[in-house]
Structures are given as structure tokens and as C-alpha cells.
Amino acid sequence: MDKDNANPTILNVSELPTRQNKKRVATAVKDVDPELDVVLRRPEYLSAPFCEVPWASDDTESDDDFTIEPIDEQEIYDLISTISDPEHPLSLGQLAVVNLPDIHITPSPSAAADPDTLTRVLVKITPTITHCSLATVIGLGIRVRLEQALPPNYRVDVMIKEGTHSQDDQVNKQLADKERVAAALENATLKGVLDKMLETCT
């Protein structure tokens, strides 16, 4: 099979926006007094499963890290950026098919919001080329990933970003047609392609 775009622009994985990198940096920056660390270090003879008491020098998270946070655009990006492209052995994030500024949540996420409020997630995708024949499949993969991962009160809409595809109106109409999407998901060949795309999701 010939690829539509044999030479796409590829982003370095370390440069993709993610909340996960920020947590790693924050834990690595902790300054611990070496003398205090020796005193508070867990003795070697006290190891799991006999002693589950967290010690001061452990890398355990504090209770503050377990506060309920609303699902935001970054979390949506983290869910879909690792989806594999159906043509290339790269993720949609690496190919800049999905971008953080092109993800919109309505109403805006807030901690005080009612968890049962109907929430709309709009993802605008940018195909690697204007005549990409797999844009509908990519959009379908994003929809499936988000519908599997998000709570039931979230409604997912996936669209082609305006002006990035020669047939964006047709592709958007296909992605918005619920009956067509449901029928596509019953197609065994297409289901196999989607499963392959979603294998790399973390």
C-alpha cells in the first residue's frame, strides 16, 4: 500500500505537551537534607509486605495529590496523542494531527462543576496532507478512544480543522453521522484497523 504522505513532519516525543512530564520534574527537584535522609530512611529489614507504613523519605504522594480534578484539555490530549497513525509507525501527537490548542471542552472544566453536567469535547484534527484518505478513520479512532475513556456524561465531537483537508465538509459530515459511525464500528476490517491504532494508548 502506498502512503498518502511518505514524508510527514515528525515532532519529538519529549516536546509534546503533557502533564506527566511536569510531575516527574516536580518530584526530581525535591531537596532532602542528606543527614536527615539517613535518619528517616526506611530500614532494609522493614520491607513489603510486612511493613506498609510510609516513611518520610519515601516517594509516596501526599494526600493533596489525590484531590478530584476536572477533566481538562491536557488530559484529553494525553488520551489521544498516543494513538498510532494508520499509515505511519508514529503517534497522532508526533505527527501533529492532534494539537492541544485544537481541543475544546464546553462548559469549561472547574472543580466546582456538577459531575453529571453534560459536557461536550470538541477535537479538531489536522491531517498531515490535504488529501488524506484516512482522515475519517483517524477521526473515528479518536472518537472511540475518548468514548471508551471518558465518563458517560461526556459527548465527543471530532472534526477536521477548517482548511486542512480538501474534502473537510464531507469528512465532518461522516464523523458527525451517528448511524454511520455505529455501522462503521460493526465492520470487522475497520474494527481491526481501529484496534491496531489504539494498541499504543497508555
Side-chain angles (χ1 to χ4, degrees):
M1 176 173 101
D2 289 337
K3 295 181 180 182
D4 278 349
N5 185 3
N7 193 17
T9 302
I10 302 170
L11 302 177
N12 189 333
V13 176
S14 65
E15 295 171 356
L16 298 178
T18 179
R19 185 175 289 123
Q20 295 162 350
N21 289 343
K22 292 177 186 173
K23 282 187 178 179
R24 272 189 240 128
V25 170
T27 56
V29 173
K30 274 194 221 177
D31 288 332
V32 178
D33 181 12
E35 294 174 4
L36 186 60
D37 186 43
V38 170
V39 174
L40 296 177
R41 186 178 317 142
R42 178 190 302 219
E44 290 179 25
Y45 61 86
L46 292 178
S47 60
F50 304 110
C51 183
E52 295 297 325
V53 179
W55 291 69
S57 65
D58 282 353
D59 288 329
T60 57
E61 303 281 328
S62 69
D63 289 340
D64 294 341
D65 291 341
F66 295 108
T67 57
I68 296 174
E69 294 179 4
I71 296 172
D72 61 1
E73 290 83 355
Q74 179 66 58
E75 192 162 349
I76 299 295
Y77 179 83
D78 288 343
L79 286 170
I80 62 177
S81 65
T82 57
I83 297 173
S84 290
D85 183 84
E87 274 191 317
H88 303 284
L90 300 165
S91 71
L92 298 182
Q94 289 174 291
L95 293 169
V97 172
V98 292
N99 298 291
L100 189 56
D102 296 331
I103 299 171
H104 307 283
I105 300 177
T106 311
S108 293
S110 70
D114 179 14
D116 296 326
T117 301
L118 192 61
T119 305
R120 178 179 183 237
V121 176
L122 172 63
V123 178
K124 295 183 179 181
I125 61 175
T126 306
T128 56
I129 52 172
T130 58
H131 57 279
C132 179
S133 62
L134 295 172
T136 308
V137 175
I138 292 169
L140 195 57
I142 292 169
R143 173 183 288 280
V144 168
R145 171 67 172 143
L146 291 178
E147 287 178 351
Q148 289 175 349
L150 294 175
N153 62 311
Y154 279 74
R155 299 297 177 261
V156 177
D157 291 319
V158 180
M159 301 175 59
I160 301 290
K161 193 172 180 179
E162 192 174 331
T164 61
H165 195 279
S166 58
Q167 298 175 332
D168 54 0
D169 289 339
Q170 283 183 308
V171 175
N172 287 338
K173 195 178 287 187
Q174 290 175 0
L175 290 172
D177 186 342
K178 292 179 182 172
E179 289 178 11
R180 196 171 196 159
V181 167
L185 293 176
E186 292 177 10
N187 180 313
T189 305
L190 184 57
K191 183 82 171 92
V193 171
L194 293 174
D195 289 344
K196 187 79 173 155
M197 289 171 62
L198 299 178
E199 279 179 358
T200 55
C201 293
T202 54

